[in-house]
Amino acid sequence: MAKNDTILVESILEERQKINHPSNDVGEVFELFSNEQIMRDYDLCQTDFQLANVDGKDDGGIDSFYVFVNGILLNDNLSEFRYPKTQIELTVILIQSKHAEKFEQSTVNSLYTSIAELFDLSKDNSNLDGDYNKEVLAKRRQFIAAYKATACNLSNLNFKFYYASMGDVENVGENTIARAEQIKTKMSELF
């Protein structure tokens, strides 16, 4: 992140901490701010950000997990959701946010391990090797249900992974970039 951008973002985070938006923890404030910026092209409210939040113990390196069908965010209302009949686009967005001065390879490593398992549809939630919290598992079930429900008429399947940090993208290590490429390869193998 450019020097002046860093100063600007830090001042925004400080102001949000003062008003507890969403708390006074800078990591949580940065996480929400990152989500708002990454998801700004979607019409999301604060409740949507909260429902997408899977952060916490056993989150598999994922802070936020979004599943969209034709631009409509799926939530807990899967049984009521009316899937389109044609031209269906299914989009999955995973976000990891770290209020840190650089991008860390361990973060991308953790994400790689998780996606290799979470998006392997041959595994049931009860047979996963990693420990995942109930929110991650619920989002995984949500994706699988949507994927199966739309498979016959699916026009596009998109996976987007974001890693937000205060670090400068010009200084991302080669190993971190290589691991990100492995994520792309793994998703191509799975889908």
Side-chain angles (χ1 to χ4, degrees):
M1 191 177 297
K3 188 176 186 177
N4 287 337
D5 291 341
T6 301
I7 292 168
L8 178 63
V9 169
E10 287 294 355
S11 69
I12 292 169
L13 298 179
E14 287 174 17
E15 288 301 313
R16 287 182 171 202
Q17 276 183 282
K18 288 177 187 175
I19 61 171
N20 286 323
H21 181 63
S23 75
N24 64 356
D25 178 86
V26 70
E28 291 177 14
V29 174
F30 181 71
E31 185 178 314
L32 177 59
F33 176 77
S34 299
N35 271 262
E36 291 170 345
Q37 299 311 302
I38 292 166
M39 304 303 291
R40 67 181 172 265
D41 291 336
Y42 295 86
D43 188 22
L44 302 180
C45 64
Q46 290 303 309
T47 302
D48 294 331
F49 291 119
Q50 291 169 350
L51 290 171
N53 186 328
V54 297
D55 188 24
K57 186 176 187 289
D58 298 329
D59 64 13
I62 303 166
D63 288 336
S64 299
F65 194 136
Y66 299 89
V67 180
F68 292 92
V69 174
N70 286 4
I72 299 169
L73 180 65
L74 295 182
N75 285 316
D76 298 332
N77 59 347
L78 275 182
S79 61
E80 300 168 14
F81 189 78
R82 300 273 188 238
Y83 290 100
K85 301 291 183 210
T86 60
Q87 298 298 312
I88 301 169
E89 182 172 324
L90 182 58
T91 302
V92 176
I93 300 173
L94 302 182
I95 301 173
Q96 174 57 264
S97 302
K98 297 276 187 201
H99 184 253
E101 293 180 9
K102 64 179 186 170
F103 291 91
E104 300 169 359
Q105 183 178 350
S106 61
T107 301
V108 183
N109 288 344
S110 183
L111 183 59
Y112 175 83
T113 302
S114 295
I115 65 115
E117 183 168 56
L118 292 172
F119 293 104
D120 181 348
L121 303 186
S122 69
K123 293 185 175 189
D124 187 71
N125 277 0
S126 61
N127 297 330
L128 297 175
D129 296 325
D131 291 326
Y132 300 99
N133 64 36
K134 66 181 182 183
E135 291 83 7
V136 170
L137 296 177
K139 290 296 183 181
R140 179 178 192 257
R141 277 190 299 274
Q142 188 180 76
F143 161 70
I144 292 170
Y147 185 59
K148 288 179 177 179
T150 61
C152 290
N153 297 308
L154 193 59
S155 300
N156 289 308
L157 176 61
N158 303 301
F159 293 93
K160 299 178 182 183
F161 303 99
Y162 294 92
Y163 174 16
S165 157
M166 296 295 289
D168 186 343
V169 294
E170 300 297 321
N171 297 325
V172 176
E174 289 180 28
N175 290 340
T176 304
I177 293 169
R179 184 54 109 179
E181 288 300 319
Q182 289 173 341
I183 290 173
K184 290 179 188 177
T185 301
K186 176 52 77 177
M187 293 310 291
S188 293
E189 291 170 4
L190 291 169
F191 297 94

